[in-house]
Amino acid sequence: MNTAWAALTSRRYLVSSWPWRSYAYLLSSVPAGAATICVLIGAAAVSALLSPILVGVLLLTAFPLLGVLIGIMERYRARLMMPAGISTPHAQVPQSTGLRERLRFRRREQASVRALGYGFLFGVFLWPLNALFAGVSLAVLAITLVAPFIADDDEIGMGPWTLTTFWEGLLFLVLFGPIWYTVSSYLLGWLAAGQAELAKVMLGPREDELRRNLADLRRSRLDLVDAFETERARIERHLHDGVQQRLVGLTMTLGLAELDLPEGEGRRLVVKAHGEAEAALADLREAVRGIHPRVLIDHGLEAAVREVADRSPMPVTVRMELPRRLPPPIEAAAYFVVSEALGNVAKHAQASRCEVDGWIVDDQLVVTIADDGIGGADPTGGTGLTGLVTRLDALGGTLDLTSPPGGPTRLRMETPCRLDD
Amino acid sequence: MPARRLSIVLAEDSLLLREGLASILDRAGHEVRDAVGDADTLLAVVRKEPPDLVITDVRMPPGHSDEGLRAAAAIRAELPGIGILVLSQYVADAYLSSLLESTTGGIGYLLKDRVGHVTEFLASLDRVADGGTVVDPEVVRQLLARRRDDGPLAALTPRELEVLALMAEGRVNSSIAEQLVVSEAAVRKHVGNIFAKLHLDDGRDRRVSAVLTYLRG
């Protein structure tokens, strides 16, 4: 059962947790509502007192910030009735913004004013209502439960009835208890669900705010991918200009030394050192290729995919029909998908051959990697593909793996060819 | 002393490598006429007084992308007589097309690591200065990997594949014979077989470009 409304129409409502959630929601509104109205009145009083010296008037303009706090509290409380919660209507403020700017921005947001309005409604009207209904209902329920014991000692009046013995009390409990529980549960259920709905309408995001939040999210993820790309480029540049150059310099010096040295142990060692320096260079080139492959930047996806296919220990057929270069983050994502996939095929699939296809349809880049191996690949097994899924996600792309036991395995990635929203 | 003293212009943005290269060339008896750090200066000094040979890095200021390759293409277009040796920290066959566009004049494309094998490096230099073609073994390996599914290539024996790779690197028969420790006559026989199996014309002068063109598909 996901929502209070669905629960109310269910036949199992009375034995579910929902009547008690409703009680909890309504009763918790009593301290929350009382605190809200105290704070609002207090703040209003302070600004009224200070109004002669202008600060009070300024204080009034900060009232929407109280709305922000009320919104936070009430969205949290509403989770009792809405397990999925209410998402925030507030726009994201960039991390770099200072506190003052941040507050100014929040103060002017429509959502803050709306939450303040809810706060007044809540503080003045809702919580006394809830206190009355839930309080009375709970009290009657409690007294009914203990009615046999009270009636045993003393006589109690329950509405039109007067109970004087234990057995009268028990009869009352058995006959009236279920009726009261049913009636009050439904009544309070509707009341609580209605209020949670009201909170959602007033404290949740409007449609335009939802759209904006979505755009914010996408943009911030794109920023992240961008930052990632920039960082990779920086690392590659650093390795190229620094370590690689020095190692090349070293091989040159060793090469010259070999020419001068006579045959013998010393020369043998220098030749060995030369070989080791070259191996280090080869390793470094391999690492750089994994970070930010040069051929991808200079010649695009097809050339880079062909290169990675050439390095694969099994025959790889590459068919790519890409009429134009794509934005760098998209090319990079596709390249790393192919690179990771071919690596996995070589490691796990026991395949004899592999095919990589790429094409563009409806402004979507589609790349598939298919092998004739044993299948049974687990998409959650490696961290490699998971990272790539995150990356594709930010671009609005997807990655699908089909790998039945016995094979074959087929990986398909799809991503829009454009970065704009 | 080398067979012939070459006048060389060197373009390499790393001071360390520029000096390392210059000292190797100097020791070999060549004249390093200018050693510059970027592509624009390279073009300027070459235009002012053409050398026999230009050695250039691919990646240079200001863009640090393929300035050296573009400068090489410009020199080749303006002054086709100058041999050009392109050095790179990283080689890939995708870059071959821009280097091999023109079929006249010596051209070389090598990993920087090869400079350390001084004797071989100097031999490559002479080949390029004489109008030959030199391609890095790593690039040839990539080309062969690409064509491994191809019918005719699969028909070659392992030894013929070795000979083909060495031909693609730009080596002459004597050098191939030395490398594989066989006689030159044996190499000639292999070469003949290769050309027959791949249906290529064994035009003696341009056999390197014939092989490369074939391998590049």
Side-chain angles (χ1 to χ4, degrees), chain A residues 245 278 285 298 307 310, chain B residues 17 90 95 113 117 146:
Chain A
Q245 306 275 27
E278 283 189 318
R285 259 198 297 276
D298 291 343
E307 207 216 0
D310 290 343
Chain B
L17 298 191
Y90 163 78
Y95 296 83
D113 311 20
H117 297 268
R146 178 143 316 160

Side-chain angles (χ1 to χ4, degrees), chain B residues 32-47:
Chain B
V32 180
R33 218 195 60 206
D34 288 290
V36 303
D38 66 273
D40 289 340
T41 322
L42 168 66
L43 282 174
V45 300
V46 168
R47 279 175 186 144

Side-chain angles (χ1 to χ4, degrees), chain A residues 52-77:
Chain A
I53 54 167
L54 198 74
V55 181
V57 183
L58 289 178
L59 214 57
L60 270 179
T61 63
F63 259 57
L65 291 175
L66 288 176
V68 176
L69 296 178
I70 293 168
I72 291 169
M73 173 180 76
E74 283 300 289
R75 275 192 297 275
Y76 181 76
R77 217 165 54 79

Side-chain angles (χ1 to χ4, degrees), chain B residues 160 163-164 167 171-173 176 184-198 200 202 204 207 211:
Chain B
E160 283 166 355
V163 173
L164 179 71
M167 271 201 290
R171 291 176 189 249
V172 293
N173 286 357
I176 296 174
E184 265 196 71
V187 172
R188 270 200 300 278
K189 205 184 94 211
H190 287 310
V191 171
N193 286 344
I194 291 166
F195 276 75
K197 284 182 182 173
L198 302 184
L200 293 174
D202 187 4
R204 296 254 166 226
R207 74 171 197 183
V211 168

Side-chain angles (χ1 to χ4, degrees), chain A residues 233 236-237 239-241 244-256 258-260 274 278 281-282 285 289 293-296 298-299 303 306-307 309-317 353, chain B residues 12-14 16-17 20-21 23-24 27 57-59 62-66 69 88-95 97-98 111-119 122 138 141-143 145-146 148-149:
Chain A
E236 188 258 356
R237 174 88 179 270
L239 288 175
H240 178 271
D241 291 347
Q244 271 186 321
Q245 306 275 27
R246 286 199 179 275
L247 278 172
V248 171
L250 177 63
T251 60
M252 286 182 189
T253 310
L254 289 170
L256 277 177
E258 280 165 31
L259 289 185
D260 280 348
H274 190 172
E278 283 189 318
L281 259 175
R285 259 198 297 276
R289 188 174 297 116
R294 199 67 225 170
V295 68
L296 180 68
D298 291 343
H299 289 276
R306 284 193 187 283
E307 207 216 0
D310 290 343
R311 291 178 189 283
S312 173
M314 82 223 123
V316 179
T317 313
R353 55 178 305 109
Chain B
E12 160 66 64
D13 64 319
S14 154
L16 181 77
L17 298 191
L21 261 167
S23 73
I24 287 175
R27 264 183 61 124
D57 188 7
V58 170
R59 223 171 145 182
H64 289 279
S65 70
D66 61 348
L69 280 180
S88 179
Q89 203 86 272
Y90 163 78
V91 293
D93 60 354
Y95 296 83
S97 53
S98 55
L111 263 182
K112 282 187 188 169
D113 311 20
R114 313 294 178 209
V115 179
H117 297 268
V118 179
T119 318
L122 293 173
E138 167 65 19
R141 197 195 57 71
Q142 288 179 21
L143 286 171
R146 178 143 316 160
R148 64 186 153 190
D149 287 345

